[in-house]
Amino acid sequence: MKFVWDRNKAAANEKWHRVNFAEARKAFGDPQAVIEPDEEHSWYEQRYRLIGAAGRRLLFISYTEADEETIRLISVRDVEPHERRRYYEDMKNKNGKNDKPRQLAKEVIIDVTEADYRRMQAKGIHEDALLKPGRHRFVRGLNPLIRAGLLPATPPKKVRISILLDEDIVEHFKQRAAAPNALPYQTQINNELRNVVLEDRGVTVEVEDESAALLLNPAFIQAVARSVKEQLAQEQKRRKRA
């Protein structure tokens, strides 16, 4: 399994959203990540939206599956407050505590209001990474790494162990956890260990020229051909009416 992305798009994304694609791909290693098909932007390829933890952050990712072995990242940003709230909501038990999480729900429902949508637009969030007003269902179990056998089908149980770590390592992760909206430092350590496991299992990264890749994509070429055909037909109708 490999991750690919366009270097120019990745650079622009990091400049605007302050998150790089190399960090973002780690969110696919989050066993609790949730995914929603993005039908609105799937005009020549099936796109998806993923919310998952990567390193110190909880991220919203737009991506597509170029083939069964390739995940192509399109855009990445930090989650918005209403998305973060709903993502963590079902990890709490009825008492609102996180120390004894109940069985995770199969889906996370995110309701986006007009105010939420306008606020995201005002931030300049790209259309690819926007959730339109309405109800969105993000489902667990759709992660392509699960299908490839690289992640367990259900989130694994947490195991309490005693471990000695170097003091400077613990301090480093605690400092990262002190940043606004950062994940707890224990979670960050677990996420980094998960990334090591995925790399050992053969998950790789490639950076590509997206324009060249699209020219080799039959679905993209067919979609462009249909669009050109439709535009020519519309132009002919306008000329006949003129």
Side-chain angles (χ1 to χ4, degrees):
M1 180 69 72
K2 65 181 179 181
F3 288 87
V4 301
W5 55 78
D6 178 70
R7 57 174 56 85
N8 295 324
K9 181 173 290 187
N13 190 96
E14 183 170 7
K15 181 179 180 180
W16 188 255
H17 295 297
R18 300 184 182 278
V19 54
N20 63 66
F21 282 14
E23 178 185 4
R25 55 104 180 176
K26 298 177 182 179
F28 287 81
D30 179 3
Q32 298 176 1
V34 291
I35 294 173
E36 177 192 50
D38 181 5
E39 302 299 345
E40 181 183 356
H41 299 106
S42 298
W43 66 282
Y44 72 88
E45 61 185 0
Q46 179 61 60
R47 292 190 177 188
Y48 302 90
R49 300 161 171 145
L50 176 144
I51 297 178
R56 73 189 74 181
R57 309 157 84 166
L58 188 62
L59 299 176
F60 181 105
I61 301 173
S62 174
Y63 74 95
T64 187
E65 296 181 38
D67 54 51
E68 292 185 354
E69 296 294 328
T70 307
I71 299 171
R72 183 166 63 84
L73 303 187
I74 298 170
S75 64
V76 183
R77 63 171 171 80
D78 285 307
V79 295
E80 289 295 300
H82 62 282
E83 297 164 343
R84 174 184 297 275
R85 183 171 60 252
R86 293 311 305 270
Y87 176 83
Y88 284 117
E89 190 173 70
D90 74 342
M91 296 184 188
K92 301 177 181 179
N93 62 17
K94 294 181 180 179
N95 295 323
K97 298 179 180 179
N98 290 313
D99 54 346
K100 295 182 179 180
R102 60 177 170 82
Q103 182 69 31
L104 293 176
K106 293 183 179 180
E107 61 182 28
V108 172
I109 305 299
I110 296 180
D111 292 315
V112 180
T113 65
E114 288 288 347
D116 293 330
Y117 182 68
R118 288 195 297 271
R119 185 177 62 253
M120 289 190 289
Q121 282 186 314
K123 287 184 175 181
I125 294 177
H126 192 273
E127 190 68 24
D128 285 339
L130 274 177
L131 288 181
K132 291 294 182 66
R135 172 158 290 189
H136 298 266
R137 297 180 182 275
F138 284 76
V139 181
R140 288 192 169 86
L142 297 181
N143 194 325
L145 297 191
I146 294 177
R147 187 175 62 247
L150 299 171
L151 280 180
T154 57
K157 296 180 179 179
K158 300 295 184 183
V159 178
R160 188 180 297 277
I161 63 172
S162 296
I163 183 172
L164 295 177
L165 297 175
D166 292 339
E167 184 178 13
D168 63 315
I169 291 178
V170 176
E171 184 60 29
H172 173 75
F173 280 95
K174 284 186 175 180
Q175 290 178 0
R176 294 203 332 179
N181 297 321
L183 299 172
Y185 80 94
Q186 299 98 327
T187 301
Q188 292 189 37
I189 293 174
N190 189 81
N191 290 346
E192 294 300 333
L193 292 175
R194 172 68 66 183
N195 188 56
V196 171
V197 172
L198 291 176
E199 289 180 351
D200 287 347
R201 292 176 178 175
V203 176
T204 61
V205 171
E206 292 183 10
V207 181
E208 64 178 18
D209 181 344
E210 186 175 37
S211 59
L214 287 175
L215 292 177
L216 299 176
N217 187 327
F220 173 75
I221 295 173
Q222 292 173 6
V224 171
R226 287 195 301 270
S227 178
V228 171
K229 184 177 181 179
E230 292 172 358
Q231 292 181 39
L232 289 174
Q234 292 175 2
E235 180 63 24
Q236 289 177 350
K237 289 180 180 179
R238 283 195 295 268
R239 290 180 178 179
K240 289 181 179 179
R241 290 195 298 265

